[in-house]
Amino acid sequence: MSWWPFRKKTEESPERNGAPSDGGSPSLGEDQALPETPSDASASAREEGDGGALSLLARGLKKTAAGLKQILGLRRAIDEAFLADLEVKMYEADFGPDTVTALLAAVRAAWKAETLRESDQIAPFLQESLRAQLADKDTQLARAPSGPTVVLVCGVNGTGKTTSIAKLSHWLAARGDKVILAAGDTFRAAATEQLQVWSQRIGLPLVTGGAGSDPASVAYSACERAIAEQADYLVVDTAGRLHTQANLMRELEKIRRVIAGRIPGAPHETLLVLDATTGQNAVNQADAFNRAVALTGLIMAKLDGTAKGGILVTLHNRFRIPVKFVGLGEKVADIAEFSTEKYVQALFT
């Protein structure tokens, strides 16, 4: 078992460009963006604030908002032809059949009642409807009443899981929390290597095991360190590639049992990272993982790469699992807590 100590690198190295140094340091790999230096990342995080979170969501939903604006930005009388065009745009934004049907039914009813007359009235109407749908879940990250808060992170390889772990951990550290990482994806050597690179870049300690070692043993060792060092958060990576759902459930349940045996009430969060660009595939992944383990929240990665920002509503309505964070871009500070209000504002900007 290996513990990577807290350290911040101040000098540029060849691995900054994705190439290993002479000492054999790992490169970032398949879905990892190039990290910022810690000083740059911290500066970005300090600038975020509430306005920054709205700006980040606006950037992430720019393509989705542009598609909706094509129909809602025109001052046009509402009629059946307009409603048909609106339905197409909502499907293109990946709101999903159930959500589209419900929202269109509400719009149609308001139109028939003459509450809505023209297209420019619809955006505020839809915003209010979406607020009501999304407001029933707590989107804030859990915090244990005492001791370390343990966050398990799941996700299919290629979704941006490792990058999202780094972003989340940096976000926690930037607000003053003491954070430890655990490389629990021992089935894929590159996963540990990528997390090692990230941990060095953001200056956070990492607990690792040997290639092919028991993930639960890594998690246990990480719990021991988190307790000993009085960490606020322990963020645990898990395998993103197991051959069957049964194996996935057994492995994750074993990790959960080991963690719970060492830290009462843990894990306090089980988060699934989803690639927003995959649309309905994200729904299938959420379904599989939610049946395997009790998910408590979602991290939507790569939000800026899609015009399908309505998938967040689809996931919420289908599984009643809150989106807790959204990520985009290549900077480690490009992550924000999900906010219903900021989401509905950005969606129709």
Side-chain angles (χ1 to χ4, degrees), residues 264-347:
H268 306 91
E269 291 275 14
T270 303
L271 305 180
L272 174 64
V273 178
L274 294 171
D275 180 347
T277 67
T278 61
Q280 290 300 308
N281 281 339
V283 176
N284 297 334
Q285 291 171 22
D287 183 46
F289 275 92
N290 196 42
R291 283 187 280 111
V293 293
L295 296 174
T296 60
L298 304 174
I299 300 177
M300 298 302 300
K302 309 180 187 180
L303 190 61
D304 54 330
T306 182
K308 299 180 180 295
I311 191 66
L312 278 70
V313 181
T314 299
L315 289 163
H316 177 277
N317 291 345
R318 172 81 178 270
F319 303 108
R320 315 310 296 179
I321 302 170
V323 175
K324 298 213 168 185
F325 289 89
V326 293
L328 63 146
E330 296 184 354
K331 295 182 179 179
V332 73
D334 282 342
I335 189 170
E337 287 183 292
F338 178 77
S339 159
T340 294
E341 182 59 35
K342 293 179 178 64
Y343 173 73
V344 297
Q345 286 182 46
L347 201 57

Side-chain angles (χ1 to χ4, degrees), residues 216-217 219-220 223 253-263:
S217 70
Y220 184 85
C223 288
E253 280 303 319
K254 182 180 179 182
I255 294 172
R256 290 170 66 91
R257 285 196 308 272
V258 167
I259 290 173
R262 192 63 189 88
I263 300 177

Side-chain angles (χ1 to χ4, degrees), residues 33-112:
L34 187 66
E36 298 170 283
T37 61
S39 58
D40 291 342
S42 298
S44 299
R46 287 194 299 269
E47 292 172 359
E48 180 167 309
D50 289 341
L54 176 58
S55 174
L56 189 143
L57 269 170
R59 283 193 287 131
L61 293 168
K62 184 177 180 180
K63 294 179 181 179
T64 305
L68 293 171
K69 193 172 184 178
Q70 288 177 2
I71 183 72
L72 297 178
L74 302 173
R75 189 175 180 86
R76 170 179 166 186
I78 300 174
D79 54 23
E80 289 295 343
F82 172 82
L83 294 178
D85 291 341
L86 177 59
E87 181 178 21
V88 170
K89 290 299 180 184
M90 293 183 72
Y91 273 116
E92 289 176 353
D94 231 343
F95 281 100
D98 293 341
T99 302
V100 171
T101 299
L103 289 175
L104 278 179
V107 170
R108 182 173 278 105
W111 169 51
K112 294 292 186 183

Side-chain angles (χ1 to χ4, degrees), residues 1 183-192 208-219 237-240 251:
M1 201 66 61
D185 186 356
T186 62
F187 294 95
R188 188 169 62 96
T192 297
T208 67
S213 61
D214 183 5
S217 70
V218 176
D237 189 13
T238 60
E251 191 58 58

